[in-house]
Amino acid sequence: MEWETVIGLEIHVQLSTQSKIFSGASTAFGAAPNSQACAIDLAMPGTLPVANEQAFRFAVMFGLAMNAEIGKRSVFERKNYFYPDLPKGYQTTQLEEPIVGPGVIDIELENGETKSIRLHHAHLEEDAGKSLHEDYQGMSGIDLNRAGTPLIEIVSEPDMRSAEEAVAYLKKIHSIITYLGISDGEMSQGSMRCDANVSVRLKGEEEYGTRCEIKNINSFKFVEKAINVEVERQIDLIEDGGKVVQETRLYDADKNETRSMRSKEVANDYRYFPCPDLLPVILDDDYIAEIKSKLPELPDAKRDRFVSDYGLSSYDATVLTAERATADYFESVAKTSGEPKLAANWVMVDLAAYLNKSEQKLADCPVSAKHLAQLIARIKDGTISGKIAKQVFEAMTNGEGDPDSIIEKRGLKQVSDTGAIEKMVDEVIANNQAQVDNYKNADEKKRPKMLGFFVGQIMKASKGQANPQAVNEILLKKLNEQ
Amino acid sequence: MHTKTIAQLIEGLRSKEFSSVELTRHYLQRIKERDGTYNSYITVTEEAALAQAEAADQRLAAGDDNPLCGIPIAHKDIFCTTGIRTSCGSKMLDNFIAPYDATIVENYQKAGAVMLGKTNMDEFAMGSSNETSYYGPVKNPWNTNCVPGGSSGGSAAAVAALLAPAATASDTGGSIRQPAALCNLTGLKPTYGRVSRWGMIAFASSLDQAGTLTRTAEDSAIMLNAMASFDAKDSTCVDEPLEDYTAKLGDSLQGLTIGIPEEYFGEGLNPQTAERVQAAIKVYESLGATTKSISLPHTHLAVPAYYVIAPAECSANLSRFDGVRYGHRCDDPKDLADLYKRSRGEGFGDEVKRRILVGTYALSAGYYDAYYNKAQQVRRLIKQDFVDAFNQVDVVLGPTSPSPAFEFGAKSDDPVAMYLEDIYTIATNLAGLPGLSIPCGMVDNKPVGLQLIGNYFAESKLLNVAHQFQLATDFHQQLAPETA
């Protein structure tokens, strides 16, 4: 039997507004518990919500970036349930009339193909607080700093057919929200969280299988693993004659398994109804047009421009534009150095390897774009060789300063002085008479290969600083004179 | 001093007949001596009142021209007051002290008014008799065997017993106008959105509106001048230009058209009450107004629609009272469910629970369309009735409540009979219109209220229509026995 996986994602993104969606309290991450919860966030009696315009602006930016319909009339509703970290006893969210309607985006797959994923809708809502169950001797602590933080919930159609596609879509959304600057997209801090609706069906089948929702997956890696392990579970279950039960499941990263969170029997009735404290929000065309005119360049457009302006391959351009920070960094290096291809190589290979190894973000990287451009310029003008450049780069990552002062301080300047190189060549020839004889006696065709030995010796003697081209020329001349 | 209206007290303060401190002391003394009978106050803020009165006297001496400067008033205990308990008539909030003032409380403070205390009310403003208060029932100064009406029964009794010259109140389905009618007062519910709801504990957000209980329409206008404001903290507050609501009080009623809805004089209306209202119509005709019979065809649907919408909203509004952050918490909760069940079970009274249950039911999956959606459709029809009416008439006139004050316990076992108390007032809240009740005579020594309903933001006109009636009659000047 051949199975097909069907995946839809619900992604919660915290919007990086200064204040909360319905109050003036700060949304900054990491403050002391309950220090950023005002009377409104605490749902004190008599307090009332006032919608944050910036949250609407961000949501509209997102909608426009997703080629989606913008809800010119959007309505907040109350989703009723009791939980200690939900102070009002309801979450203010949108249901029937969301701020962002249907849309579509393309994702790039590893085989180079692109695929369209449809957006069902995206809506604005408030985040809940946090319940803390450790450290309170059998009791629970509540931190309401997060309560009221603006979220957009982005709901896709069930258009993804593998965990890889789901991750590519998630990365695309991540890329769009960070390009727009509407969220920091930090999955580790909960700024972006993902629920995956997963089902399987026999290939060719039209009906969807029964789905399970895996809640609150907080990294790209776990999204892939959670979906794969859930797909495996569902297929095994069906093939053993069982049936998938519609339910909410939790992914346990330690055990790499999903397990049931709630039984289907206690389906919540959230009793949604329009929030009478908040009027419908009406956006006019001018407002939307004004936001549209200020949208930054988005990943796809940037990728195409990198291909045409810098002559990069489509693959390189895609990699470099996946994150706005990387794209901006690359572009700065490319422009300052005037060497886009070298810049692309350094950013994608050396810089990426360094960041990966040191587990750093580009923002925290000690190597500035300006310095990397300088380094590339020094290769280009022959001050150092590509090989020495790697040493300089390493020194730069250690915070030793700009490339010029590192080259100076460490004396790494390439030796192009013919006299000095001649001296080194003479010494090497004198000290390796046997190899010189072999060379002289060797067949003309074998000689270039044998030359490598002498070059290596000279480079060693020069600590790699001798200009390789000059070494080659002088060496050939001297050997032929022997 | 206590028989004076606010307009007269303002004169007294300006002419230095008495100071604000003297006036305030006098009221505090009366409350101390007499409120044992009526139970109209939950909290009396003597010290704070005297401090405010002293400050007001200084302002007056410095030439402050704010009319309410130095005038003592009482606030319904639904309005949050910094540092002073705001109970909303419930055990749930018996220990609740807000760290903020309601906007209207702030507005009166800025005007220089002195707060005497917080008045009794039906629990969470749910009731029409003031019998559901955790702090005990309020007695009607006109007949202490009878209810003062509700939910602003404490505010009404305090003003009728001359224990405050005026009081703030709130009206979700008639909670200002019905007690005004039962206590011979002028009760004004402004247009929805005219007055900020910030700091007023919500019962049904789309219907709640703060207003005033006074002895005259002129006093209502003076009170509304300070109360009304645009408030960015309340998204439903409307940014309409403010006006001086006393400015039109001298206008003639010549050429005014008054609509008399036939539906307000049908079955269920006490015949003697109907007579008083009919007599009032004659007064208006004698003042030069034209009366016109109109129809508000969806009137019979107002009570059922209201008793879906208001409970639905209250079921969500009251979810925040969960024993977690403030308010009543049960002793030794075993677990989370126990904390919720017992805190809410112990903290809320029966009427509040009844409405939470009704509202929860009306919003439940499978019932939402049949109840909540249908009720919202009815609400639009009722609103349209009034829009059509105001194309033909300037104000709508009718009885405020079907009969005069009833005895304690008479309706407390029959929720539907109690709900019908508001049959003439509820439609105004559903439509968001301003409504007002003024005294129009007595039945069995009990006051009868005349209701006037105005168009949106037509408070000035509405107040003048009431004022002209009060210039021509003396019903409003009659005082409850043993109060002078």
Side-chain angles (χ1 to χ4, degrees):
Chain A
M1 279 185 280
E2 204 183 340
W3 294 95
E4 183 177 52
T5 305
V6 175
I7 303 159
L9 295 187
E10 289 169 23
I11 305 168
H12 290 85
V13 170
Q14 275 186 5
L15 297 176
S16 47
T17 52
Q18 294 287 304
S19 58
K20 294 187 176 176
I21 186 165
F22 299 122
S23 85
S26 166
T27 53
F29 179 79
N34 297 310
S35 62
Q36 290 177 176
C38 70
I40 297 169
D41 306 323
L42 293 169
M44 299 281 260
T47 60
L48 294 168
V50 175
N52 182 339
E53 196 232 324
Q54 190 65 47
F56 276 86
R57 198 165 265 276
F58 282 172
V60 170
M61 285 168 74
F62 177 75
L64 292 170
M66 295 290 284
N67 313 302
E69 288 171 27
I70 303 300
K72 290 184 188 166
R73 178 192 146 98
S74 57
V75 174
F76 282 110
E77 306 214 20
R78 294 179 178 181
K79 178 182 181 181
N80 295 284
Y81 66 95
F82 283 97
Y83 206 69
D85 59 25
L86 186 73
K88 293 190 293 288
Y90 56 83
Q91 181 194 29
T92 308
T93 178
Q94 297 180 324
L95 181 73
E96 299 288 338
E97 297 176 82
I99 180 70
V100 176
V104 65
I105 52 155
D106 289 342
I107 57 169
E108 289 76 30
L109 305 177
E110 279 184 18
N111 62 12
E113 284 174 18
T114 60
K115 177 173 179 173
S116 293
I117 305 292
R118 289 168 304 153
L119 173 74
H120 182 272
H121 80 275
H123 63 259
L124 276 167
E125 62 184 20
E126 59 182 338
D127 210 342
K130 264 186 197 160
S131 294
L132 310 162
H133 300 298
E134 293 109 35
D135 310 330
Y136 295 94
Q137 284 118 30
M139 298 195 288
S140 292
I142 315 269
D143 178 3
L144 294 177
N145 283 353
R146 205 180 66 183
T149 297
L151 298 177
I152 41 171
E153 182 175 335
I154 304 157
V155 181
S156 81
E157 294 286 358
D159 285 352
M160 288 150 275
R161 293 292 173 267
S162 67
E164 292 71 32
E165 287 183 19
V167 172
Y169 168 75
L170 190 61
K171 284 190 170 162
K172 187 73 180 217
I173 297 290
H174 184 266
S175 163
I176 287 172
I177 60 168
T178 50
Y179 263 71
L180 294 171
I182 62 173
S183 173
D184 62 22
E186 293 290 349
M187 291 191 86
S188 60
Q189 292 179 1
S191 301
M192 182 165 169
R193 313 191 285 271
C194 178
D195 303 339
N197 282 297
V198 179
S199 65
V200 296
R201 62 179 172 190
L202 283 176
K203 204 142 204 171
E205 193 80 32
E206 289 208 1
E207 294 271 305
Y208 292 125
T210 306
R211 67 174 191 266
C212 289
E213 184 179 16
I214 317 169
K215 277 270 179 203
N216 266 329
I217 324 174
N218 63 2
S219 81
F220 294 120
K221 196 170 77 188
F222 290 162
V223 167
E224 182 160 6
K225 285 182 152 187
I227 291 172
N228 281 333
V229 77
E230 175 62 15
V231 166
E232 215 171 289
R233 185 190 73 88
Q234 291 186 11
I235 292 173
D236 287 351
L237 191 64
I238 300 168
E239 288 185 343
D240 290 349
K243 266 191 165 176
V244 176
V245 183
Q246 185 170 342
E247 62 182 353
T248 303
R249 300 180 69 85
L250 199 71
Y251 175 65
D252 182 334
D254 294 333
K255 294 182 182 161
N256 192 32
E257 63 176 30
T258 66
R259 58 169 179 269
S260 184
M261 244 173 102
R262 284 181 212 140
S263 102
K264 53 164 182 162
E265 323 299 343
V266 284
N268 271 318
D269 180 358
Y270 292 119
R271 306 188 311 280
Y272 282 94
F273 75 104
C275 179
D277 285 329
L278 293 159
L279 300 172
V281 174
I282 312 293
L283 304 179
D284 61 29
D285 291 335
D286 289 349
Y287 182 84
I288 297 166
E290 186 250 328
I291 293 174
K292 194 168 192 173
S293 70
K294 289 181 185 163
L295 278 186
E297 187 180 35
L298 289 162
D300 289 355
K302 207 182 271 288
R303 179 200 56 212
D304 295 346
R305 186 168 61 79
F306 281 8
V307 170
S308 62
D309 286 10
Y310 300 122
L312 301 184
S313 70
S314 175
Y315 175 79
D316 286 2
T318 303
V319 172
L320 286 170
T321 53
E323 293 203 25
R324 185 176 179 174
T326 313
D328 290 348
Y329 188 98
F330 158 76
E331 191 153 31
S332 169
V333 176
K335 277 187 176 160
T336 316
S337 68
E339 292 292 332
K341 285 191 177 154
L342 268 178
N345 261 328
W346 276 92
V347 173
M348 288 169 61
V349 180
D350 303 273
L351 187 73
Y354 163 72
L355 293 175
N356 198 23
K357 202 174 128 204
S358 62
E359 291 178 352
Q360 278 191 81
K361 297 199 171 311
L362 189 52
D364 307 322
C365 178
V367 182
S368 69
K370 191 180 139 203
H371 287 170
L372 185 56
Q374 215 177 75
L375 183 68
I376 290 169
R378 292 300 160 267
I379 301 169
K380 207 60 202 169
D381 67 17
T383 310
I384 52 172
S385 65
K387 208 169 166 192
I388 291 289
K390 311 258 174 199
Q391 274 183 50
V392 179
F393 180 77
E394 200 187 327
M396 286 159 72
T397 63
N398 292 332
E400 289 179 33
D402 67 278
D404 282 345
S405 57
I406 292 168
I407 292 166
E408 185 64 40
K409 201 162 59 192
R410 294 200 176 183
L412 295 175
K413 213 173 215 167
Q414 190 159 262
V415 180
S416 302
D417 168 10
T418 335
I421 293 174
E422 271 184 20
K423 213 177 137 202
M424 283 187 274
V425 171
D426 287 343
E427 264 173 43
V428 169
I429 288 174
N431 293 339
N432 297 284
Q433 204 50 60
Q435 277 84 353
V436 174
D437 292 343
N438 279 347
Y439 178 86
K440 299 286 291 178
N441 298 331
D443 186 78
E444 198 69 36
K445 283 177 190 163
K446 287 183 178 171
R447 279 185 178 179
K449 226 176 173 187
M450 300 175 79
L451 208 57
F453 167 77
F454 298 101
V455 175
Q457 293 294 311
I458 295 159
M459 292 311 278
K460 200 171 158 191
S462 76
K463 294 189 183 114
Q465 286 166 250
N467 183 330
Q469 222 175 333
V471 170
N472 262 326
E473 279 170 21
I474 294 167
L475 185 64
L476 269 176
K477 200 180 96 200
K478 296 256 177 193
L479 281 173
N480 289 338
E481 285 167 3
Q482 290 286 312
Chain B
M1 283 187 272
H2 52 271
T3 57
K4 290 188 190 308
T5 63
I6 288 180
Q8 292 162 340
L9 289 173
I10 291 169
E11 285 304 308
L13 284 170
R14 306 281 147 171
S15 65
K16 299 202 170 61
E17 196 184 317
F18 42 79
S19 69
S20 176
V21 168
E22 285 166 335
L23 185 62
T24 302
R25 255 203 195 108
H26 178 71
Y27 275 107
L28 289 169
Q29 188 60 32
R30 281 182 64 82
I31 294 166
K32 212 173 278 178
E33 287 167 0
R34 294 163 177 260
D35 201 38
T37 306
Y38 310 113
N39 195 28
S40 67
Y41 283 85
I42 290 174
T43 306
V44 179
T45 50
E46 183 170 349
E47 260 181 60
L50 288 170
Q52 286 175 359
E54 260 177 58
D57 280 333
Q58 282 170 18
R59 279 173 64 170
L60 286 167
D64 192 311
D65 61 354
N66 207 311
L68 283 175
C69 188
I71 302 292
I73 59 169
H75 286 304
K76 186 175 180 179
D77 210 17
I78 199 168
F79 297 108
C80 290
T81 43
T82 309
I84 294 161
R85 174 178 64 181
T86 302
S87 75
C88 221
S90 180
K91 180 181 179 184
M92 183 58 88
L93 292 178
D94 187 45
N95 62 0
F96 176 68
I97 296 175
Y100 45 86
D101 282 321
T103 296
I104 67 132
V105 169
E106 206 178 283
N107 287 350
Y108 282 116
Q109 247 164 31
K110 280 188 203 146
V114 172
M115 177 172 77
L116 293 167
K118 311 285 296 284
T119 57
N120 206 340
M121 57 184 284
D122 276 306
E123 185 180 8
F124 285 103
M126 296 174 199
S128 305
S129 67
N130 220 111
E131 292 171 290
T132 72
S133 170
Y134 173 63
Y135 301 92
V138 176
K139 292 183 180 162
N140 190 324
W142 287 84
N143 180 338
T144 52
N145 292 321
C146 288
V147 303
S151 67
S152 309
S155 288
V159 179
L162 310 182
L163 304 181
T168 58
S170 68
D171 190 317
T172 304
S175 281
I176 292 175
R177 291 159 289 158
Q178 184 253 12
L182 270 47
C183 293
N184 208 50
L185 298 174
T186 300
L188 171 68
K189 178 203 98 71
T191 308
Y192 183 80
R194 173 72 290 177
V195 174
S196 169
R197 292 190 297 117
W198 171 266
M200 176 170 77
I201 298 177
F203 158 18
S205 313
S206 74
L207 301 158
D208 296 343
Q209 182 63 57
T212 56
L213 281 157
T214 57
R215 300 219 322 276
T216 67
E218 184 185 16
D219 284 2
S220 285
I222 296 167
M223 285 290 282
L224 183 61
N225 275 345
M227 182 183 253
S229 64
F230 171 68
D231 184 4
K233 287 191 286 191
D234 172 4
S235 309
T236 61
C237 210
V238 181
D239 197 1
E240 273 281 314
L242 290 166
E243 32 184 320
D244 176 0
Y245 294 100
T246 63
K248 287 188 179 165
L249 290 183
D251 287 6
S252 154
L253 299 189
Q254 209 68 242
L256 184 87
T257 311
I258 299 175
I260 316 289
E262 54 195 49
E263 292 83 0
Y264 283 31
F265 293 85
E267 206 186 327
L269 178 63
N270 175 311
Q272 290 171 286
T273 297
E275 278 172 30
R276 301 296 171 274
V277 176
Q278 294 295 350
I281 294 171
K282 294 275 173 276
V283 173
Y284 274 113
E285 284 169 350
S286 75
L287 292 172
T290 314
T291 55
K292 183 176 181 175
S293 181
I294 58 165
S295 175
L296 298 170
H298 298 96
T299 297
H300 64 291
L301 297 175
V303 170
Y306 176 89
Y307 278 99
V308 170
I309 293 168
E313 291 184 13
C314 104
S315 74
N317 281 336
L318 270 61
S319 291
R320 64 188 60 199
F321 305 109
D322 56 5
V324 174
R325 297 167 312 287
Y326 52 77
H328 178 71
R329 176 187 286 194
C330 67
D331 290 331
D332 306 316
K334 284 200 308 285
D335 52 29
L336 186 59
D338 187 41
L339 169 77
Y340 286 152
K341 283 179 189 163
R342 281 201 290 131
S343 298
R344 288 169 68 78
E346 294 161 6
F348 290 139
D350 287 348
E351 184 58 29
V352 171
K353 286 177 193 164
R354 175 162 28 240
R355 298 202 194 188
I356 291 173
L357 286 172
V358 168
T360 303
Y361 180 81
L363 291 173
S364 300
Y367 298 98
Y368 181 88
D369 286 337
Y371 293 109
Y372 186 80
N373 255 353
K374 187 65 80 183
Q376 289 293 3
Q377 288 164 1
V378 168
R379 185 177 188 170
R380 283 191 286 274
L381 293 174
I382 287 169
K383 187 177 169 180
Q384 192 56 47
D385 281 357
F386 280 104
V387 170
D388 295 343
F390 284 115
N391 283 331
Q392 312 167 49
V393 302
D394 297 301
V395 293
V396 171
L397 179 151
T400 304
S401 63
S403 48
F406 48 92
E407 294 195 357
F408 290 102
K411 297 183 181 185
S412 29
D413 292 333
D414 186 352
V416 175
M418 189 71 91
Y419 296 166
L420 289 173
E421 266 297 295
D422 296 329
I423 187 161
Y424 305 126
T425 47
I426 272 174
T428 319
N429 298 78
L430 289 171
L433 292 163
L436 184 146
S437 179
I438 50 175
C440 69
M442 295 284 160
V443 168
D444 301 333
N445 294 318
K446 290 188 254 181
V448 173
L450 175 76
Q451 184 177 211
L452 298 165
I453 301 165
N455 209 342
Y456 296 101
F457 298 100
E459 281 84 357
S460 278
K461 181 184 276 179
L462 195 61
L463 285 161
N464 182 46
V465 172
H467 180 64
Q468 295 305 316
F469 186 82
Q470 293 182 342
L471 289 178
T473 60
D474 66 354
F475 304 120
H476 64 290
Q477 285 171 0
Q478 294 176 35
L479 299 176
E482 295 168 51
T483 51

